[in-house]
Amino acid sequence: MTDAALDPAARAFLDRIASGNRPPTSALPVDEARRQFAQLQKRAGSAPPDGVTAEDMTVPGGDGPRRARLYRPEAATGDRPLLLWLHGGGWMLGDLDTHDVPCRWIAKGYGGPVLSLAYRRAPEDPFPAALHDAEAAYAWAVQTQGAAAVGGDSAGGNLTAALCLLLRDHKRPPPVHQALVYPSLDATLAGDSHRAHAEGRFLEEADVLFFLEQYATGHGVSVLDPLLSPLQADTLAGLPPATVVIAGHDPLADDGRRWVARLTAEGVPARLVEHPGLIHGFLHMTGLIPAADAALRALGEEIGRDVGR
């Protein structure tokens, strides 16, 4: 685990949050929690990049069509496969609009098309609805594009890893790459970072438990189910090569570290990119934290570099 100092701008952001006496997400009605999450991007996010087009569309989901948004950079790099992006937000807060600016930056750096999926959200549609939507959208991407990569941030990183396991175990065409940004990968909350950064780092351990309850554990899903806790899978052999990006001051940091360590030990190429001074959710704090802005601008390039290997 890193002991690097918290980025000063991240510290200032956390101090503003603390001074505002922000209520815990668990105390808010779902609609209000979603509204506040959307406001975060508007207040703390950066402006979108030039040179990226966006097209709203529908794609197949697990229980009917789902909304999606296709991003294309005007300056495409080579023949990049489509990157299916699964947004974060605790499986319940995020949507196409909260992740519009990050997806534009990812597409610009990646140099290829990025498809953001509006999967079904908890608590209205708990586990495994979001995963089934991701599975159907991925099948569409492979059918129409020939090959696809998959990625996501936070809860979307969880869905990315679970989708890779599901596809492998069902002997379906695998993604050419998996890209996980500060993912949640173990509902048992193993890992020292869960205790070292349990409070005061924007995402708190209480939030992690609440999101898990709304999505799965409150609906009878075992924390040992690999499709909820991919790190509980017996083996990770046969999964796609991975790029894993983490923040040093994040209760989920060790999830990403353990994923890379296990993939590497089991013969899967994997690379860890750590931003030691940053906190969970930094993709949405780019207008206030210069290091977060630099990390987002580099993210698509990091993924594209690994996909191209």
Side-chain angles (χ1 to χ4, degrees):
M1 174 184 296
T2 182
D3 291 320
L6 181 63
D7 179 274
R11 164 56 67 194
F13 172 79
L14 292 173
D15 287 346
R16 285 195 292 274
I17 294 273
S19 66
N21 295 316
R22 181 175 69 110
T25 302
S26 59
L28 299 172
V30 173
D31 287 347
E32 177 61 17
R34 289 171 177 163
R35 188 192 70 80
Q36 291 193 15
F37 187 76
Q39 284 296 315
L40 173 66
Q41 173 63 56
K42 294 179 180 178
R43 293 195 309 268
S46 55
D50 295 329
V52 178
T53 64
E55 175 190 357
D56 285 345
M57 58 191 301
T58 59
V59 298
D63 188 28
R66 302 301 306 169
R67 293 175 58 235
R69 188 169 294 162
L70 180 64
Y71 301 89
R72 293 187 182 275
E74 293 174 1
T77 304
D79 188 22
R80 294 271 192 252
L82 181 142
L83 172 60
L84 172 64
W85 196 261
L86 305 171
H87 65 73
W91 302 279
M92 63 181 292
L93 304 182
D95 58 28
L96 297 183
D97 292 333
T98 62
H99 283 67
D100 182 73
V101 171
C103 281
R104 288 174 187 269
W105 279 108
I106 292 169
K108 186 177 182 69
Y110 178 59
V114 173
L115 181 71
S116 180
L117 175 68
Y119 56 79
R120 285 172 288 170
R121 298 180 296 181
E124 298 93 337
D125 292 290
F127 176 96
L131 181 57
H132 287 171
D133 288 342
E135 180 186 16
Y138 172 78
W140 172 87
V142 170
Q143 182 180 19
T144 59
Q145 306 295 318
V150 62
D153 58 290
S154 194
N158 169 276
L159 294 171
T160 296
L163 177 62
C164 290
L165 288 171
L166 186 154
L167 295 169
R168 180 200 64 183
D169 293 347
H170 291 179
K171 296 181 170 54
R172 295 177 186 167
V176 299
H177 198 79
Q178 54 171 314
L180 287 67
V181 179
Y182 38 72
S184 172
L185 299 174
D186 190 354
T188 72
L189 308 188
D192 291 341
S193 62
H194 281 281
R195 279 150 291 286
H197 305 301
E199 296 181 343
R201 291 297 186 265
F202 185 67
L203 177 71
E204 302 200 345
E205 197 78 337
D207 297 324
V208 176
L209 289 167
F210 174 71
F211 290 138
L212 284 167
E213 179 183 26
Q214 297 301 301
Y215 175 57
T217 58
H219 302 275
V221 181
S222 169
V223 295
L224 301 179
D225 188 327
L227 296 184
L228 174 63
S229 299
L231 275 165
Q232 295 296 324
D234 291 337
T235 178
L236 304 186
L239 292 189
T243 306
V244 181
V245 180
I246 64 172
H249 290 258
D250 181 355
L252 301 179
D254 280 345
D255 288 31
R257 294 187 185 108
R258 293 166 60 207
W259 191 248
V260 169
R262 277 198 58 186
L263 287 171
T264 302
E266 297 181 54
V268 178
R271 187 166 68 93
L272 181 68
V273 179
E274 181 165 355
H275 298 286
L278 292 182
I279 58 177
H280 190 90
F282 65 74
L283 295 186
H284 290 89
M285 304 167 189
T286 52
L288 299 178
I289 305 174
D293 185 62
L296 175 57
R297 290 170 184 258
L299 177 57
E301 296 178 8
E302 296 278 5
I303 298 170
R305 186 179 306 122
D306 288 348
V307 169
R309 287 180 179 174

